[in-house]
């Protein structure tokens, strides 16, 4: 996590100040529940809320931790400095450190998910706008990087929209799955704390009680959360790669917006490089880098160990901050992206008529020619287009066997571009539902 690829709202979730504020709320709400059960005096629970407007001193907590070598104890010591030692003596009653750490982490992940969902919504809105704008803008589809058959730029945007819409559903599910809290005490048995305390704290923090914890919340929940972030990052790269290919000089069907004063190269003043989408490809790698460690965190010794702890302190902020930045960068690229319909048609016509080869093949089989014979008849003419840049339709019209099977009108009819776009409305209705 570096400032270059970070946005303030997401960074704030992972700041020490935010973390300690959440820790405080967990402890204070737990005291309220304990008082309601008659486990601690009400006045002690009330006293904890004296610190509700305190800005906890991160440097002071670090100073205490340098002695205690324990971050939660350092925080509790600092809290007592504000509340009073006697008044704070029931804080953390029956709890263990993981009750605070794990519940806090999940609060942070839920808040991060909400920001990421906002970013996804921005990407979806941009993709839909561009899809509608270029619904009927014809371009050549490519498989293996080679011209295949006509499609539309709108279908390209619609495809990415559908992918990101699936990602939104995945993130909503991951958010729900990770939104649990645990205030269950050592090894998760509630021996020293009533389950009602956990229920109260979770309700106040917008979480659900973890059905069964050990001394930690099960890490399969977190593994799924980070896996979803990795999938979203891969989808970002999928879109970025398409835009990068479109911006190649030989293709130039679309391009990133090039702002006034922007420089593409320190050496070559003519350059307009796809730097934003190249950056997105790199950022996607960083997000995916966090997935395997999250998966490896699932297997802990017995009721707990802390092999997951150092990992999560890194991957929590790194994955969410980076993905948040990437989503918003991608949205901006799509919103301002330049589209060149004329170049799309020029590219398609570099091999005149060749994209209609399958339609001619199918027509020949319908006319009674064997598939092997039809394939041979079409391919011998198609190869001349590849090698000599001749017009495919003219070659077919000069081929006696093809004319005998289809007739002149039959051949000409096979070069209607509308044939390939006749179901665009159907696809759009499936994707956008309107």
């Amino acid at each position: 996590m570096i400032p270059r690829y970070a946005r303030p709202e997401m960074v704030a979730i992972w700041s020490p100040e935010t973390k300690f504020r959440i820790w405080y709320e967990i402890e204070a709400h737990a005291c309220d529940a304990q008082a309601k059960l008659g486990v601690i005096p009400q006045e002690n629970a009330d006293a904890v809320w004296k610190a509700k407007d305190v800005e906890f001193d991160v440097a002071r907590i670090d100073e205490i931790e340098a002695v205690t070598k324990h971050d939660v104890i350092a925080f509790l010591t600092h809290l007592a400095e504000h509340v009073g030692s006697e008044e704070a003596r029931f804080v953390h009653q029956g709890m263990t450190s993981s009750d605070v750490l794990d519940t806090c982490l999940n609060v942070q992940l839920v808040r991060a998910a909400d920001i990421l969902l906002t970013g996804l919504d921005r990407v979806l809105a941009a993709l839909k706008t561009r899809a509608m704008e270029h619904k009927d803008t014809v371009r050549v589809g490519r498989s293996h990087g080679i011209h295949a058959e006509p499609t539309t730029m709108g279908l390209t945007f619609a495809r990415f929209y559908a992918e990101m819409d699936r990602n939104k559903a995945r993130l909503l599910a991951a958010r729900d799955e990770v939104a649990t809290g645990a205030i269950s005490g050592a090894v998760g048995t509630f021996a020293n704390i009533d389950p009602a305390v956990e229920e109260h704290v979770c309700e106040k923090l917008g979480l659900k009680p973890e059905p069964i914890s050990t001394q930690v919340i099960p890490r399969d929940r977190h593994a799924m959360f980070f896996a979803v972030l990795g999938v979203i990052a891969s989808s970002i790269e999928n879109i970025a790669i398409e835009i990068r290919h479109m911006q190649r000089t030989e293709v130039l069907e679309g391009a990133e917006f090039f702002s006034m004063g922007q420089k593409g190269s320190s050496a070559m003043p003519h350059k307009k490089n796809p730097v934003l989408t190249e950056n997105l490809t790199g950022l996607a790698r960083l997000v995916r880098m966090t997935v395997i460690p999250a998966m490896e965190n699932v297997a802990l010794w017995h009721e707990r160990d802390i092999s997951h702890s150092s990992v999560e302190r890194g991957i929590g902020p790194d994955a969410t901050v980076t993905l948040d930045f990437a989503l918003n960068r991608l949205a901006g690229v799509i919103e301002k992206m330049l589209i060149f319909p004329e170049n799309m048609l020029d590219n398609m016509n570099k091999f005149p008529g060749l994209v209609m080869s399958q339609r001619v093949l199918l027509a020949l089989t319908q006319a009674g020619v064997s598939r092997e014979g039809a394939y041979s008849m079409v391919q011998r003419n198609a190869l001349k287009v590849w090698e000599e840049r001749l017009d495919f339709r003219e070659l077919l019209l000069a081929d006696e066997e093809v004319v005998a099977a289809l007739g002149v009108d039959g051949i000409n009819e096979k070069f209607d571009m509308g044939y390939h776009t006749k179901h665009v409305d159907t696809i759009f209705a499936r994707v956008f539902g309107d």
Side-chain angles (χ1 to χ4, degrees):
M1 186 182 74
I2 61 174
R4 185 180 183 90
Y5 305 127
R7 297 185 341 124
E9 186 180 7
M10 185 67 85
V11 170
I13 288 176
W14 301 101
S15 71
E17 293 80 4
T18 298
K19 178 183 70 174
F20 292 135
R21 173 54 48 181
I22 297 170
W23 287 12
Y24 167 72
E25 291 174 3
I26 291 168
E27 297 284 6
H29 289 308
C31 285
D32 283 346
Q34 296 273 41
K36 186 175 181 180
L37 291 169
V39 175
I40 70 173
Q42 184 64 54
E43 55 268 26
N44 287 80
D46 293 341
V48 176
W49 288 106
K50 290 193 300 184
K52 65 183 177 65
D53 296 320
V54 167
E55 291 187 14
F56 296 107
D57 188 336
V58 175
R60 173 59 181 152
I61 294 171
D62 289 343
E63 179 186 354
I64 299 169
E65 186 182 352
V67 177
T68 65
K69 305 297 190 291
H70 196 291
D71 54 355
V72 174
I73 292 175
F75 170 75
L76 295 174
T77 301
H78 180 55
L79 178 60
E81 291 176 342
H82 288 283
V83 175
S85 180
E86 176 60 26
E87 291 87 344
R89 68 192 179 98
F90 294 111
V91 172
H92 207 66
Q93 183 87 3
M95 295 167 60
T96 188
S97 296
S98 291
D99 291 335
V100 178
L101 297 171
D102 281 14
T103 301
C104 174
L105 173 61
N106 284 7
V107 168
Q108 290 172 302
L109 291 176
V110 167
R111 292 179 184 178
D114 288 339
I115 294 176
L116 294 174
L117 286 164
T118 299
L120 272 170
D121 282 340
R122 184 183 170 196
V123 170
L124 286 166
L127 288 168
K128 183 175 182 179
T129 296
R130 302 316 297 267
M132 295 300 177
E133 179 184 352
H134 292 284
K135 181 180 179 182
D136 300 312
T137 302
V138 176
R139 68 186 293 238
V140 68
R142 298 169 173 88
S143 56
H144 306 276
I146 307 300
H147 283 199
E149 292 192 347
T151 182
T152 76
M153 191 66 229
L155 287 176
T156 300
F157 282 122
R159 168 165 59 91
F160 292 138
Y161 177 95
E163 183 173 344
M164 281 300 182
D165 196 42
R166 292 191 295 274
N167 283 328
K168 181 178 179 180
R170 292 175 182 126
L171 184 54
L172 284 167
R175 179 195 185 281
D176 181 69
E177 188 170 347
V178 84
T180 66
I183 310 292
S184 53
V187 303
T189 61
F190 296 102
N192 297 301
I193 194 165
D194 194 288
V197 177
E198 180 182 81
E199 293 170 8
H200 177 79
V201 172
C202 286
E203 179 186 0
K204 292 296 185 181
L205 296 176
L207 306 175
K208 302 180 297 291
E210 179 61 46
I212 177 169
S213 53
T214 53
Q215 195 160 316
V216 293
I217 292 173
R219 255 46 191 185
D220 61 288
R221 295 183 182 274
H222 304 79
M224 181 56 69
F225 186 90
F226 285 96
V228 168
L229 301 193
V231 172
I232 295 172
S234 293
S235 293
I236 290 173
E237 183 179 19
N238 191 23
I239 299 172
I241 288 286
E242 178 68 22
I243 297 171
R244 288 169 60 190
H245 279 309
M246 290 175 66
Q247 191 164 335
R248 289 164 54 208
T249 307
E250 299 84 355
V251 179
L252 202 57
E253 295 179 356
E256 296 174 10
F257 177 76
F258 201 78
S259 62
M260 185 67 67
Q262 184 174 342
K263 305 292 189 292
S265 167
S266 63
M268 296 167 283
H270 72 276
K271 296 293 292 294
K272 288 187 176 183
N273 300 331
V275 292
L276 299 179
T277 44
E278 288 175 341
N279 171 253
L280 288 172
T281 294
L283 295 179
R285 294 170 185 166
L286 290 175
V287 176
R288 286 195 299 267
M289 184 175 67
T290 69
V291 177
I292 295 301
M295 299 257 180
E296 292 175 339
N297 280 350
V298 173
L300 302 176
W301 284 19
H302 304 297
E303 279 61 51
R304 76 160 299 195
D305 63 54
I306 63 165
S307 59
H308 65 284
S309 177
S310 56
V311 177
E312 289 167 352
R313 290 174 193 264
I315 67 174
D318 283 355
T320 56
V321 169
T322 304
L323 187 59
D324 171 57
F325 181 89
L327 283 169
N328 282 276
R329 168 155 285 183
L330 176 63
V333 168
I334 296 166
E335 289 162 358
K336 296 181 178 180
M337 185 177 170
L338 304 176
I339 306 295
F340 306 113
E342 299 84 0
N343 290 347
M344 294 178 185
L345 291 178
D346 287 345
N347 286 336
M348 193 177 322
N349 291 324
K350 283 180 179 177
F351 300 93
L354 199 58
V355 293
M356 302 300 185
S357 71
Q358 181 180 194
R359 192 175 183 202
V360 177
L361 169 68
L362 297 176
L364 286 168
T365 61
Q366 290 290 321
V369 181
S370 71
R371 182 171 178 86
E372 292 77 10
Y375 198 100
S376 177
M377 292 162 65
V378 173
Q379 189 180 45
R380 70 185 178 219
N381 288 289
L383 290 178
K384 292 179 182 178
V385 181
W386 272 109
E387 295 163 4
E388 303 175 47
R389 298 291 178 95
L390 299 175
D391 187 285
F392 185 51
R393 182 184 345 200
E394 296 301 322
L395 289 168
L396 293 174
L397 289 170
D399 189 312
E400 293 181 359
E401 279 191 281
V402 177
V403 173
L406 299 180
V408 171
D409 290 342
I411 293 172
N412 286 327
E413 186 269 334
K414 301 303 178 288
F415 287 81
D416 173 22
M417 190 64 69
Y419 174 84
H420 289 281
T421 60
K422 61 181 179 292
H423 293 303
V424 170
D425 285 339
T426 299
I427 299 171
F428 265 56
R430 288 179 173 183
V431 173
F432 300 109
D434 48 34

